[in-house]
């Protein structure tokens, strides 16, 4: 049988732990768009942002802060946006 009991790839999502909260996320973009998908399983809340602009990255931390109180992750989003 080739089916594993466990697999660690995670479908390309990053899993980060901040205290008692987990952020599962994936983001990216290219010359014409930016996107972010994230989920906090402990609260059942998630967020998807898709923008038709490569320069929209600085908006992502602002939108994230509006819905979530996980400042270290918001700061990571700022670093990724070049801020």
């Amino acid at each position: 049988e080739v089916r594993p009991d466990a697999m660690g790839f995670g479908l390309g999502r990053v899993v980060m732990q901040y205290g008692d909260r987990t952020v599962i996320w994936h983001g990216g973009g290219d010359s014409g768009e930016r996107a972010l998908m994230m989920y906090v399983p402990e609260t059942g809340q998630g967020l998807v942002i898709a923008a038709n602009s490569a320069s929209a990255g600085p908006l992502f931390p602002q939108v994230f802060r509006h819905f979530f109180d996980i400042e270290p992750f918001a700061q990571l989003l700022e670093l990724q946006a070049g801020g």
Side-chain angles (χ1 to χ4, degrees):
E1 181 172 318
V2 298
R3 189 187 68 169
D5 293 323
M7 188 170 176
F9 178 68
L11 301 173
R13 291 170 181 89
V14 179
V15 180
M16 297 179 146
Q17 191 72 36
Y18 295 103
D20 61 350
R21 290 174 290 176
T22 307
V23 178
I24 302 169
W25 68 281
H26 184 82
D30 61 22
S31 62
E33 64 254 353
R34 302 261 318 151
L36 170 71
M37 177 281 310
M38 55 82 51
Y39 176 64
V40 179
E42 292 83 6
T43 64
Q45 295 175 298
L47 177 68
V48 175
I49 306 171
N52 287 330
S53 171
S55 62
L59 296 174
F60 288 13
Q62 296 173 38
V63 173
F64 177 82
R65 284 185 179 109
H66 183 76
F67 295 101
F68 298 93
D69 182 26
I70 307 173
E71 185 57 26
F73 188 75
Q75 292 173 1
L76 173 66
L77 294 176
E78 287 178 340
L79 287 172
Q80 289 184 332

